[in-house]
Amino acid sequence: MGRVIGIDLGTTYSCVSYLEGGKPVVIPNLEGLPTTPSVVSFTGAGERLVGTLALRQAVTNPTSTFFAVKRLIGQKFISAQVQEALPRLPYGLREAANGDVALVLGDQTLSPPEISAMVLGYLKTCAESFFGEPVTQAVITVPAHFNDAQRQATKDAATICGLDVLRVINEPTAAGLAYGLDARKNGLIAVYDLGGGTFDITILEASDGVFNVLATNGDSYLGGEDFDHRILEWLVTDFRAETGIDLSKDKLALQRLKEAAERAKRELSFTAETEINLPFIVSDQNRSSHIRKTLSRPVFEAMTADLVERTVPHIEKALAEARLTPDRIDHVILVGGQTRMPLVKGQVARFFGRAPEEKIDPDQTVAMGAAIQSGILDGQVRDLVLLLDVTPFALGIETESDGYEMIIEKNMTIPTRKVKAFTTVEHNQRRVRLHVLQGEGFLASMNKSLAVFELVGIEPAPAGVPQIDVTFEINADGLVQVSAKDKETGLSQKIEVRPSSGLSTAEVEALKRKQSGPGAAARTANG
Ligand code: AMP
């Protein structure tokens, strides 16, 4: 087995780590930094930039610089989340033929996994340059709340850039693993993970090397970007009132505002007030206008308090599902850059009645946990480490009149499987259709459609005679698999699968060839 890397593919920043002598070590990027912006930019000269250089292009090249793609991965174009993101993004989005979201680059479109593959490919290059040898295997993390489509799309991104994914693990679980193993802590751990685009809360129990996830909850559409947006809206509204000019229509100005908002937000984690200075935000022959505003921490906290508040019901649900109360938690750890905000820290401390652990680095812990997981898989980490994670969603099938029959419940330890017998309802029926969904809604239409599985080639027989055992499985990556067997003959029943979203295997392979083919090289800050 060659080197295995652990990758945290973040909404805003990504990080890669490996295991050295049983300890996780972060691999610096080509600029020597521990984290890399998850940004890809295409220049007018046909160059592809990744990371810091791409981020620098964001202001001058807003329509061809793709950031926060993690919020779009595995999503339908018509989903509420994409529709909400659409007016905020300087780059264009379109509906792909299968209804997925596609990113617009000039007259072409790109899929979110394609862009993520470019970020992952850059991290792979960093690792290869660090080790001086090729790297082909990785453990990759995803938000605990990612559904099947989002997980599969992330895995596809890794495949496209030539990485074989040994395991997909949940970000807060990875963080819990890194923290628990490092500090040799036993007890109940709450991981509060507020990153650039997602929020997760995970409750796990560490006991002499066994990490048992008890419950997980969260919101895939709540993160640091929403905090930035509040500052941006404040600046736009204020500027409109003062000058009558609407900056929200100006892509270049919006990108500058976004960057300034994020910078101000970061500063306010450490200072009481900050100045936002944007000279020549509007500048043409007739006029030039500037923004110069002071934002204080209390004002910023007031404009974002509801966002922090939105995390609380998720913590309450996760605790209830784990049958625990806040006072039972022994360690609270914070993950994700947005947890640096004092209001977030304060809210978490108040909720649990204890201060969160300060020792861990919220930007690097997840990648380190992924590296530990790689060590568990290849035997480098011994000490009886066993990771028992759970599925964040229930799995079920559609029944008559939009009904929903749950087959695997939420928070079941994964891998998990359930077998259910199916038969025909008509004489000589040759096919049985199963619409598999993810979610807890009591109606099928309230849940996320994963795929239609059709059992085909059933031998002609009177209604009710064929007995087909269908196995529904959620594997260790949190991905859904369905298989079927004829009970009578013991033979595998043929299944035709029509996934509701995502790239086909052939598309992934074609993109892999495209990204590794001639002219595919990206330029990074080191050339
Ligand atoms: P992650 O997905 O973990 O990389 O989190 C990135 C998010 O954390 C982004 O929205 C950043 O703006 C935010 N962030 C990073 N540093 C700080 C800070 N000092 N204060 C507040 N938010 C921060």
Side-chain angles (χ1 to χ4, degrees):
M1 198 168 183
R3 297 255 189 202
V4 186
I5 50 176
I7 299 181
D8 168 15
L9 176 64
T11 307
T12 36
Y13 285 89
S14 294
C15 184
V16 52
S17 170
Y18 80 111
L19 214 57
E20 174 79 70
K23 288 244 173 257
V25 178
V26 168
I27 300 173
N29 66 15
L30 300 180
E31 292 113 70
L33 300 168
T35 59
T36 298
S38 310
V39 184
V40 177
S41 182
F42 297 85
T43 68
E47 238 184 338
R48 190 175 86 201
L49 309 173
V50 182
T52 312
L53 273 192
L55 183 62
R56 275 189 218 139
Q57 287 268 317
V59 169
T60 50
N61 187 15
T63 53
S64 306
T65 301
F66 300 101
F67 59 87
V69 172
K70 190 171 171 180
R71 291 189 111 166
L72 307 172
I73 206 162
Q75 291 294 343
K76 290 282 171 215
F77 179 75
I78 51 150
S79 68
Q81 295 77 20
V82 171
Q83 290 305 312
E84 192 203 323
L86 198 57
R88 291 193 199 178
L89 295 172
Y91 54 83
L93 300 179
R94 198 178 284 164
E95 186 165 14
N98 65 355
D100 284 0
V101 61
L103 301 107
V104 179
L105 176 66
D107 52 7
Q108 354 162 12
T109 55
L110 297 158
S111 65
E114 239 177 307
I115 297 288
S116 296
M118 293 167 189
V119 176
L120 291 173
Y122 172 71
L123 299 175
K124 178 175 181 281
T125 306
C126 297
E128 288 174 339
S129 126
F130 182 82
F131 297 129
E133 62 185 44
V135 175
T136 56
Q137 294 178 313
V139 168
I140 188 157
T141 62
V142 292
H145 240 69
F146 257 24
N147 62 31
D148 186 83
Q150 293 166 303
R151 281 166 199 264
Q152 188 57 56
T154 306
K155 216 173 163 184
D156 288 345
T159 308
I160 293 169
C161 83
L163 282 172
D164 179 19
V165 179
L166 300 187
R167 183 64 55 84
V168 175
I169 63 165
N170 294 329
E171 287 162 11
T173 308
L177 194 58
Y179 168 76
L181 209 61
D182 183 48
R184 302 270 154 203
K185 294 275 198 241
N186 280 341
L188 291 162
I189 305 174
V191 184
Y192 181 102
D193 180 355
L194 189 60
T198 55
F199 168 67
D200 280 318
I201 174 81
T202 294
I203 313 291
L204 69 154
E205 187 168 25
S207 171
D208 297 327
V210 178
F211 291 80
N212 193 3
V213 177
L214 304 177
T216 186
N217 211 292
D219 184 341
S220 301
Y221 308 98
L222 175 63
E225 293 249 329
D226 300 299
F227 290 72
D228 306 348
H229 199 71
R230 289 286 166 87
I231 301 181
L232 187 149
E233 278 175 339
W234 174 72
L235 292 170
V236 168
T237 308
D238 205 68
F239 193 76
R240 197 188 295 124
E242 268 178 28
T243 64
I245 302 171
D246 185 5
L247 291 175
S248 67
K249 304 276 180 296
D250 179 343
K251 285 193 161 67
L252 207 84
L254 268 187
Q255 194 54 37
R256 285 183 68 197
L257 286 165
K258 181 179 169 311
E259 281 190 6
E262 205 250 354
R263 206 175 318 118
K265 174 188 81 172
R266 284 176 185 252
E267 280 173 19
L268 287 174
S269 291
F270 305 103
T271 58
E273 64 174 40
T274 181
E275 193 167 282
I276 300 171
N277 236 324
L278 290 161
F280 300 100
I281 193 74
V282 175
S283 171
D284 53 35
Q285 295 102 326
N286 313 321
R287 57 191 173 172
S288 58
S289 305
H290 320 283
I291 287 179
R292 189 171 187 169
K293 299 241 350 143
T294 300
L295 179 59
S296 71
R297 190 188 283 176
V299 171
F300 174 53
E301 290 185 345
M303 61 170 88
T304 53
D306 64 306
L307 296 175
V308 182
E309 201 56 46
R310 260 172 64 190
T311 66
V312 174
H314 294 289
I315 318 179
E316 287 168 343
K317 273 192 216 142
L319 281 172
E321 283 162 5
R323 296 194 169 78
L324 292 170
T325 45
D327 57 307
R328 295 278 312 281
I329 300 297
D330 302 301
H331 316 279
V332 180
I333 65 174
L334 299 177
V335 184
Q338 191 57 47
T339 61
R340 291 209 172 89
M341 184 181 182
L343 187 70
V344 174
K345 284 190 198 172
Q347 173 78 274
V348 176
R350 249 191 328 280
F351 184 91
F352 287 101
R354 63 170 59 244
E357 310 284 337
E358 292 284 350
K359 268 196 324 216
I360 71 159
D361 182 329
D363 296 327
Q364 299 176 20
T365 313
V366 171
M368 288 162 108
I372 293 173
Q373 175 63 46
S374 77
I376 298 173
L377 293 175
D378 71 9
Q380 273 193 69
V381 175
R382 287 181 201 97
D383 295 7
L384 264 174
V385 175
L386 181 65
L387 180 61
L388 300 169
D389 213 332
V390 297
T391 167
F393 292 105
L395 186 75
I397 50 167
E398 183 178 353
T399 56
E400 260 174 66
S401 315
D402 198 27
Y404 181 62
E405 180 184 341
M406 206 179 275
I407 292 184
I408 293 176
E409 280 171 33
K410 184 181 177 203
N411 284 327
M412 290 292 289
T413 300
I414 52 172
T416 181
R417 65 209 297 263
K418 269 269 177 69
V419 180
K420 207 177 140 46
F422 286 85
T423 186
T424 51
V425 288
E426 284 168 20
H427 293 319
N428 300 326
Q429 187 180 334
R430 306 294 305 272
R431 297 174 161 257
V432 172
R433 182 182 177 274
L434 302 174
H435 184 196
V436 178
L437 302 123
Q438 210 162 40
E440 290 87 55
F442 60 93
L443 293 177
S445 55
M446 295 162 79
N447 298 308
K448 164 111 187 146
S449 167
L450 291 188
V452 172
F453 293 84
E454 209 147 1
L455 311 175
V456 295
I458 300 170
E459 286 303 315
V465 169
Q467 291 291 308
I468 302 157
D469 274 346
V470 179
T471 304
F472 298 85
E473 206 168 342
I474 301 181
N475 69 15
D477 292 340
L479 288 166
V480 176
Q481 286 163 343
V482 176
S483 57
K485 221 177 222 176
D486 186 315
K487 227 175 176 171
E488 185 91 344
T489 62
L491 295 174
S492 289
Q493 177 66 50
K494 278 214 311 223
I495 301 185
E496 277 172 10
V497 187
R498 263 177 288 127
S500 307
S501 61
L503 298 168
S504 67
T505 314
E507 284 168 327
V508 170
E509 282 307 313
L511 290 171
K512 186 175 170 182
R513 282 194 298 276
K514 187 172 145 198
Q515 287 210 5
S516 60
R523 189 158 69 88
T524 59
N526 275 22

